[in-house]
Amino acid sequence: MKHATLPLALTMGDASGIGPEIVAMALARGAVPGGFVVGDVGVMRRAAVVVAASERVSLPVAVLERAADALEVPPRCVAVLATAGLPQGLSRLPYGRVDARAGAAAAACIRHAVALAQGGEVAGIVTAPIHKEALAAAGEPFPGHTELLQAEAGAGPVRMMLANDELKTVLVSIHVSLRQAIEAVTLEAVLTTLRIAHAGAARWGQPRARIAVAGLNPHAGEGGLFGEEELRFIAPAIEAARREGINAQGPFAPDTVFMRARRGEFDLVVAMYHDQGLIPVKYLGVERGVNVTLGLPFVRTSPDHGTAFDLAGSGRADPASLIAACAMARRLSVAG
């Protein structure tokens, strides 16, 4: 079955956060054709009650036997493929609190979704937000989605891209301390990021994407006055990438390169560390951003926000970023 006709798997996220209800809300609005939830039936029934009240709609929950059955489910229905072996009582967990059971369940759902993707049963995976403290409390050795997905897929190097309709940024490092992020700026790390970014852009139809590379230091080091990482690692990586046919340019001053890309001078920006790359995109509107993991053997996207414990269970969470992530996953699955 071609990706264009396969269902889309949405993991439910942390049971105590807004993940289940934004997934249910997106499905209630008919915004994810062929989409179904990988998760706990009880959690999704609780979310459906919240969403039905806030949206003033009837929202039935359908339990699937297999992923392909999602294509037969009527629109505006929450279709759930239950993940085996989840902790008991998830639907009774209080909203807005870190709980190891929620962390364990979130990780199990991600693993289930990866198995479906690797088995060719789904077009891609859209992951609802998880809570890193809950994941750690459950004994998971991974700091976030990206690392867990990479391990489960048995993938080589992967990179996080955050994108909206104005700006795309790909990161050299993600969930590490700032000190570790600086140490992670090596020639090989930057070159690998450029290769992955180039391949990702080709997948969505830009085989000669104009890739701007941000410097690490103020003014991109100013010729070594403010740091040598640009001279020792970043510029040589750009030159090596260009010899491979990658249209990489820079390093550019990080305080202006994102503005230049937004104005259309570049197609995407490679940033050296997490906050350097994510703040500019999030500033343009969290509800518009989509997280894409590049380098996996399947499509994976997620919304550009966290579990929002303060909103969980209120019916006031905004599903816009999740809906955008589903649309992006569908586009990438068709393009790939």
Side-chain angles (χ1 to χ4, degrees):
M1 189 180 292
K2 294 183 178 179
H3 279 174
T5 56
L6 287 172
L8 197 62
L10 287 71
T11 60
M12 72 176 186
D14 190 294
S16 297
I18 64 169
E21 65 193 85
I22 61 172
V23 168
M25 199 172 295
L27 294 170
R29 295 180 183 181
V32 195
F36 70 95
V37 188
V38 177
D40 179 81
V41 175
V43 168
M44 293 314 302
R45 282 182 173 147
R46 178 169 78 160
V49 170
V50 171
V51 172
S54 64
E55 298 280 294
R56 298 181 181 179
V57 296
S58 173
L59 188 56
V61 175
V63 181
L64 306 179
E65 293 290 330
R66 58 195 182 103
D69 294 341
L71 300 174
E72 307 300 322
V73 173
R76 293 175 172 79
C77 175
V78 179
V80 184
L81 183 64
T83 297
L86 296 183
Q88 297 296 308
L90 289 171
S91 63
R92 297 189 297 275
L93 292 180
Y95 287 116
R97 295 185 190 175
V98 172
D99 194 292
R101 290 167 292 177
C109 294
I110 295 165
R111 292 189 170 97
H112 186 185
V114 169
L116 294 172
Q118 291 184 309
E121 297 183 61
V122 297
I125 302 171
V126 180
T127 57
I130 59 175
H131 201 289
K132 292 177 176 58
E133 287 184 43
L135 206 64
E140 290 289 340
F142 307 103
H145 268 122
T146 304
E147 298 85 353
L148 174 53
L149 287 160
Q150 179 184 20
E152 285 299 306
V158 300
R159 292 296 187 268
M160 176 180 175
M161 178 179 77
L162 197 64
N164 59 31
D165 54 1
E166 295 184 73
L167 185 62
K168 297 182 178 71
T169 65
V170 181
L171 310 181
V172 172
S173 65
I174 46 174
H175 301 123
V176 296
S177 72
L178 184 55
R179 185 180 301 279
Q180 291 172 310
I182 293 170
E183 294 169 353
V185 177
T186 65
L187 191 157
E188 186 57 37
V190 176
L191 179 56
T192 297
T193 307
L194 287 167
R195 289 169 175 157
I196 292 172
H198 173 76
R203 180 170 189 166
W204 65 71
Q206 291 181 309
R208 284 285 294 165
R210 299 164 298 164
I211 304 173
V213 182
L216 173 69
N217 298 296
H219 301 186
E222 199 76 81
L225 290 175
F226 307 140
E228 297 184 347
E229 286 83 2
E230 286 78 11
L231 296 175
R232 295 176 59 197
F233 309 125
I234 301 175
I238 294 169
E239 182 56 36
R242 291 181 66 85
R243 289 196 296 269
E244 296 178 11
I246 297 171
N247 187 11
Q249 303 173 51
F252 297 111
D255 60 350
T256 57
V257 67
F258 300 100
M259 176 180 61
R260 293 171 64 183
R262 187 185 176 201
R263 290 175 176 173
E265 191 173 341
F266 308 109
D267 297 308
L268 60 90
V269 179
V270 165
M272 292 300 112
Y273 58 92
H274 185 279
D275 285 10
Q276 184 190 57
L278 297 198
I279 289 173
V281 183
K282 292 192 175 190
Y283 181 77
L284 295 174
V286 170
E287 72 283 354
R288 299 164 54 201
V290 176
N291 178 11
V292 182
T293 304
L294 303 178
L296 292 172
F298 48 80
V299 171
R300 179 265 172 164
T301 67
S302 73
D304 174 25
H305 57 71
T307 51
F309 274 176
D310 58 321
L311 291 175
S314 70
R316 294 185 289 112
D318 186 350
S321 185
L322 178 79
I323 292 171
C326 291
M328 174 73 82
R330 185 60 78 183
R331 286 197 301 273
L332 291 177
S333 70
V334 173

